[in-house]
Amino acid sequence: MKKISVSLSGHQTSISLEPEFIDALRRIATARNRAMASIIGDIDAARGDRNLSSAIRVWILNYFSNSEI
């Protein structure tokens, strides 16, 4: 596991993810010309009661499942 720190809604938070998910999130952010923190903020806003790290993993899985690879 690797921790990344991001600012969400004006406060710092740490997220623990496997390096592969962090790399995937970086690739997606680059492809969309967006900051990782911006994407994580969108995921955070839509996650409901789900743990943020889990919500990010599911979002990445859905992103690649719905993309042409």
Side-chain angles (χ1 to χ4, degrees), residues 25-26 28-30 32-42:
L25 191 56
R26 282 191 181 117
I28 295 167
T30 299
R32 291 183 164 198
N33 199 29
R34 293 183 61 194
M36 272 187 13
S38 174
I39 293 172
I40 292 170
D42 290 348

mmCIF file of all heavy atoms in Angstrom, residues 25-26 28-30 32-42:
data_model
loop_
_atom_site.group_PDB
_atom_site.id
_atom_site.type_symbol
_atom_site.label_atom_id
_atom_site.label_comp_id
_atom_site.label_asym_id
_atom_site.label_seq_id
_atom_site.Cartn_x
_atom_site.Cartn_y
_atom_site.Cartn_z
ATOM 1 N N LEU A 25 -4.719 5.887 -11.728
ATOM 2 C CA LEU A 25 -5.348 7.185 -11.506
ATOM 3 C C LEU A 25 -4.527 8.301 -12.145
ATOM 4 O O LEU A 25 -5.090 9.213 -12.762
ATOM 5 C CB LEU A 25 -5.518 7.425 -10.007
ATOM 6 C CG LEU A 25 -6.384 8.596 -9.579
ATOM 7 C CD1 LEU A 25 -7.782 8.504 -10.180
ATOM 8 C CD2 LEU A 25 -6.459 8.644 -8.058
ATOM 9 N N ARG A 26 -3.220 8.217 -12.072
ATOM 10 C CA ARG A 26 -2.346 9.205 -12.729
ATOM 11 C C ARG A 26 -2.525 9.173 -14.246
ATOM 12 O O ARG A 26 -2.589 10.213 -14.907
ATOM 13 C CB ARG A 26 -0.885 8.946 -12.380
ATOM 14 C CG ARG A 26 -0.501 9.431 -11.020
ATOM 15 C CD ARG A 26 1.019 9.405 -10.825
ATOM 16 N NE ARG A 26 1.312 9.855 -9.487
ATOM 17 C CZ ARG A 26 1.888 9.119 -8.539
ATOM 18 N NH1 ARG A 26 2.281 7.888 -8.813
ATOM 19 N NH2 ARG A 26 2.100 9.599 -7.340
ATOM 20 N N ILE A 28 -5.177 8.174 -15.910
ATOM 21 C CA ILE A 28 -6.495 8.722 -16.228
ATOM 22 C C ILE A 28 -6.468 10.243 -16.139
ATOM 23 O O ILE A 28 -6.999 10.938 -17.012
ATOM 24 C CB ILE A 28 -7.579 8.128 -15.294
ATOM 25 C CG1 ILE A 28 -7.727 6.624 -15.540
ATOM 26 C CG2 ILE A 28 -8.907 8.853 -15.486
ATOM 27 C CD1 ILE A 28 -8.526 5.894 -14.459
ATOM 28 N N ALA A 29 -5.856 10.767 -15.088
ATOM 29 C CA ALA A 29 -5.781 12.222 -14.917
ATOM 30 C C ALA A 29 -5.036 12.862 -16.092
ATOM 31 O O ALA A 29 -5.479 13.885 -16.627
ATOM 32 C CB ALA A 29 -5.091 12.555 -13.596
ATOM 33 N N THR A 30 -3.954 12.248 -16.505
ATOM 34 C CA THR A 30 -3.193 12.764 -17.645
ATOM 35 C C THR A 30 -4.026 12.720 -18.918
ATOM 36 O O THR A 30 -4.074 13.691 -19.675
ATOM 37 C CB THR A 30 -1.886 11.960 -17.836
ATOM 38 O OG1 THR A 30 -1.091 12.112 -16.657
ATOM 39 C CG2 THR A 30 -1.114 12.435 -19.047
ATOM 40 N N ARG A 32 -7.185 12.827 -19.213
ATOM 41 C CA ARG A 32 -8.293 13.788 -19.129
ATOM 42 C C ARG A 32 -7.821 15.223 -18.922
ATOM 43 O O ARG A 32 -8.648 16.129 -18.791
ATOM 44 C CB ARG A 32 -9.234 13.402 -17.990
ATOM 45 C CG ARG A 32 -10.004 12.130 -18.267
ATOM 46 C CD ARG A 32 -10.958 11.849 -17.141
ATOM 47 N NE ARG A 32 -11.942 10.872 -17.557
ATOM 48 C CZ ARG A 32 -13.076 10.684 -16.921
ATOM 49 N NH1 ARG A 32 -13.375 11.381 -15.848
ATOM 50 N NH2 ARG A 32 -13.930 9.784 -17.349
ATOM 51 N N ASN A 33 -6.492 15.400 -18.844
ATOM 52 C CA ASN A 33 -5.913 16.718 -18.616
ATOM 53 C C ASN A 33 -6.481 17.351 -17.337
ATOM 54 O O ASN A 33 -6.873 18.517 -17.332
ATOM 55 C CB ASN A 33 -6.120 17.635 -19.824
ATOM 56 C CG ASN A 33 -5.167 18.803 -19.812
ATOM 57 O OD1 ASN A 33 -4.067 18.703 -19.282
ATOM 58 N ND2 ASN A 33 -5.588 19.909 -20.384
ATOM 59 N N ARG A 34 -6.517 16.551 -16.275
ATOM 60 C CA ARG A 34 -7.037 17.003 -14.982
ATOM 61 C C ARG A 34 -6.058 16.608 -13.884
ATOM 62 O O ARG A 34 -5.282 15.673 -14.043
ATOM 63 C CB ARG A 34 -8.387 16.348 -14.681
ATOM 64 C CG ARG A 34 -9.498 16.804 -15.612
ATOM 65 C CD ARG A 34 -10.827 16.202 -15.253
ATOM 66 N NE ARG A 34 -11.250 16.592 -13.913
ATOM 67 C CZ ARG A 34 -12.240 15.981 -13.266
ATOM 68 N NH1 ARG A 34 -12.869 14.976 -13.832
ATOM 69 N NH2 ARG A 34 -12.592 16.380 -12.068
ATOM 70 N N ALA A 35 -6.156 17.293 -12.786
ATOM 71 C CA ALA A 35 -5.348 16.942 -11.613
ATOM 72 C C ALA A 35 -5.964 15.718 -10.938
ATOM 73 O O ALA A 35 -7.192 15.558 -10.931
ATOM 74 C CB ALA A 35 -5.301 18.105 -10.635
ATOM 75 N N MET A 36 -5.109 14.873 -10.375
ATOM 76 C CA MET A 36 -5.616 13.714 -9.636
ATOM 77 C C MET A 36 -6.548 14.153 -8.517
ATOM 78 O O MET A 36 -7.573 13.530 -8.288
ATOM 79 C CB MET A 36 -4.460 12.906 -9.038
ATOM 80 C CG MET A 36 -3.921 11.871 -9.965
ATOM 81 S SD MET A 36 -2.683 10.731 -9.290
ATOM 82 C CE MET A 36 -2.701 10.901 -7.558
ATOM 83 N N ALA A 37 -6.193 15.239 -7.828
ATOM 84 C CA ALA A 37 -7.021 15.724 -6.713
ATOM 85 C C ALA A 37 -8.418 16.106 -7.185
ATOM 86 O O ALA A 37 -9.402 15.895 -6.470
ATOM 87 C CB ALA A 37 -6.350 16.906 -6.027
ATOM 88 N N SER A 38 -8.524 16.632 -8.382
ATOM 89 C CA SER A 38 -9.826 17.001 -8.938
ATOM 90 C C SER A 38 -10.691 15.765 -9.181
ATOM 91 O O SER A 38 -11.885 15.740 -8.848
ATOM 92 C CB SER A 38 -9.630 17.777 -10.242
ATOM 93 O OG SER A 38 -10.851 18.023 -10.879
ATOM 94 N N ILE A 39 -10.089 14.734 -9.740
ATOM 95 C CA ILE A 39 -10.816 13.485 -9.977
ATOM 96 C C ILE A 39 -11.213 12.850 -8.652
ATOM 97 O O ILE A 39 -12.351 12.406 -8.473
ATOM 98 C CB ILE A 39 -9.982 12.520 -10.833
ATOM 99 C CG1 ILE A 39 -9.815 13.100 -12.247
ATOM 100 C CG2 ILE A 39 -10.623 11.132 -10.887
ATOM 101 C CD1 ILE A 39 -8.860 12.326 -13.129
ATOM 102 N N ILE A 40 -10.288 12.830 -7.695
ATOM 103 C CA ILE A 40 -10.595 12.261 -6.378
ATOM 104 C C ILE A 40 -11.717 13.055 -5.718
ATOM 105 O O ILE A 40 -12.596 12.475 -5.074
ATOM 106 C CB ILE A 40 -9.333 12.217 -5.497
ATOM 107 C CG1 ILE A 40 -8.343 11.197 -6.069
ATOM 108 C CG2 ILE A 40 -9.688 11.867 -4.057
ATOM 109 C CD1 ILE A 40 -6.969 11.230 -5.417
ATOM 110 N N GLY A 41 -11.734 14.363 -5.898
ATOM 111 C CA GLY A 41 -12.821 15.183 -5.360
ATOM 112 C C GLY A 41 -14.166 14.796 -5.943
ATOM 113 O O GLY A 41 -15.171 14.727 -5.219
ATOM 114 N N ASP A 42 -14.208 14.527 -7.243
ATOM 115 C CA ASP A 42 -15.453 14.080 -7.880
ATOM 116 C C ASP A 42 -15.899 12.730 -7.325
ATOM 117 O O ASP A 42 -17.081 12.516 -7.063
ATOM 118 C CB ASP A 42 -15.277 13.964 -9.396
ATOM 119 C CG ASP A 42 -15.125 15.311 -10.082
ATOM 120 O OD1 ASP A 42 -15.373 16.356 -9.451
ATOM 121 O OD2 ASP A 42 -14.740 15.305 -11.273
#
